Amino acid sequence: MRKTNEIWLAAYGDMRPQKRKSMAPNQNNSDLVCLPEADDIFASMSVDPKTTVNQLNAVGGVFARYLNEVQMHGTNPDVAIYKLIRENQVLLFCQSNAIVNSFREFGARLMPGLARRGATHLVIERPEIFSEDFSRLVLEAENAGLKVDVISPQDTDPSKNAITALAAISKALWDPTARVIFWGGNSFLEKRVEEKGLGDYLRDNNIKAASINGVSVAAEHGLHRYPMTELIPLLADARIVETKKTPDIARCVYNTSSSNKGTLCGDFDYFYIAGKNDLVCKGNKKLPA
C-alpha cells in the first residue's frame, strides 16, 4: 500500500492547476457513463443506425464493445505513462499532426514527472507549422532537463521515417542509463502491411519500448477517418487502454484514409483516448456536455 501511495503522490505532485479526477489503475470506472445498448448510443448521437452505419466509421454494432472495453480496462493515463517510463527504455507517442492538439498538451504536462522518473531525451518530429502546444511540449521538456532532438520527416519517402527516428533514438541510447521519449506523427509510427514499424526496429535491436497512440483532437471527431474519436464525447475524462486486453479495439482499423495500408489499433501497445474535459486547446471547440 505504501508503494501505491508513493506512486500516486509522485504522479500528482507536479500537476497544473486544472484538477483531474483521481482513479487508481484497474479501478472499476464508475464515473464513466454506463454502457448503453447499441441503439441508445446511436440515439444519443442523433443518428439512425439503419441508415448511417457507414458514416460511423463502419463500426456499426461493435461500437458498443469499444466503449465497453474502455470502461472495463481504461485506466488513468498519467499513472500508466509514469509506470511505463520506469519499465521501458523508449516510449513512442503517436499523434495527429493537427495544428492544435490536446495530446501534446497532455505530453507537455507530463514532462516534469517523466524526467523525475528517468526520462533523459525527447526526440520529436518537426511540424510543418509550429504551434503553441508544440512549443510548450519542447519547452517543458527542456525545463525538465531533457535533451531535445528535433528531426524532420522524409517527405520524398515517408517509409524511411522510421529509420530516421531509429537513428536518433539509438544515438541517445549510447548512454545505457538513457530513457527516451519519442514524439511523432503517423508516418513515423504506423505499422503498415508488410512493413516494419519503429517499434519493430527497436525490438530487433533489443531495445525495450512501448507505443502509445493518442486519440484526442476535437477536429477529428466526426471525420470518420479515425474511428476511435467517436468515443470522445462519451467519456468525461481521458483513459488509456492496453490493446492486448481489448481485442475489439485491437482489430479496429486505426486510420481509414486511402494513404493508410491497414494499420490496426492493435499495432500500438496502448491507446490514449481523450474525454470531453481534456479537450482544452484554445483552438478546439469543446464538445457539448
Side-chain angles (χ1 to χ4, degrees), residues 93-125:
F93 289 86
C94 183
Q95 61 162 26
S96 162
N97 279 327
I99 294 176
V100 180
N101 188 328
S102 62
F103 191 45
R104 285 194 290 266
E105 291 188 343
F106 168 72
R109 181 170 51 78
L110 294 188
M111 283 298 158
L114 287 169
R116 290 199 297 271
R117 290 160 182 82
T120 57
H121 293 73
L122 171 66
V123 178
I124 186 168
E125 175 190 359

Side-chain angles (χ1 to χ4, degrees), residues 163-207:
I163 300 298
T164 300
L166 175 65
I169 292 170
S170 298
K171 181 179 178 181
L173 290 175
W174 286 350
D175 178 354
T177 65
R179 293 288 184 273
V180 180
I181 306 299
F182 176 79
W183 203 282
N186 296 337
S187 65
F188 283 90
L189 285 164
E190 285 183 345
K191 180 180 177 181
R192 304 186 180 197
V193 175
E194 299 180 354
E195 294 180 9
K196 285 188 176 182
L198 179 54
D200 296 317
Y201 287 118
L202 292 171
R203 283 185 284 271
D204 288 347
N205 286 276
N206 297 314
I207 297 171

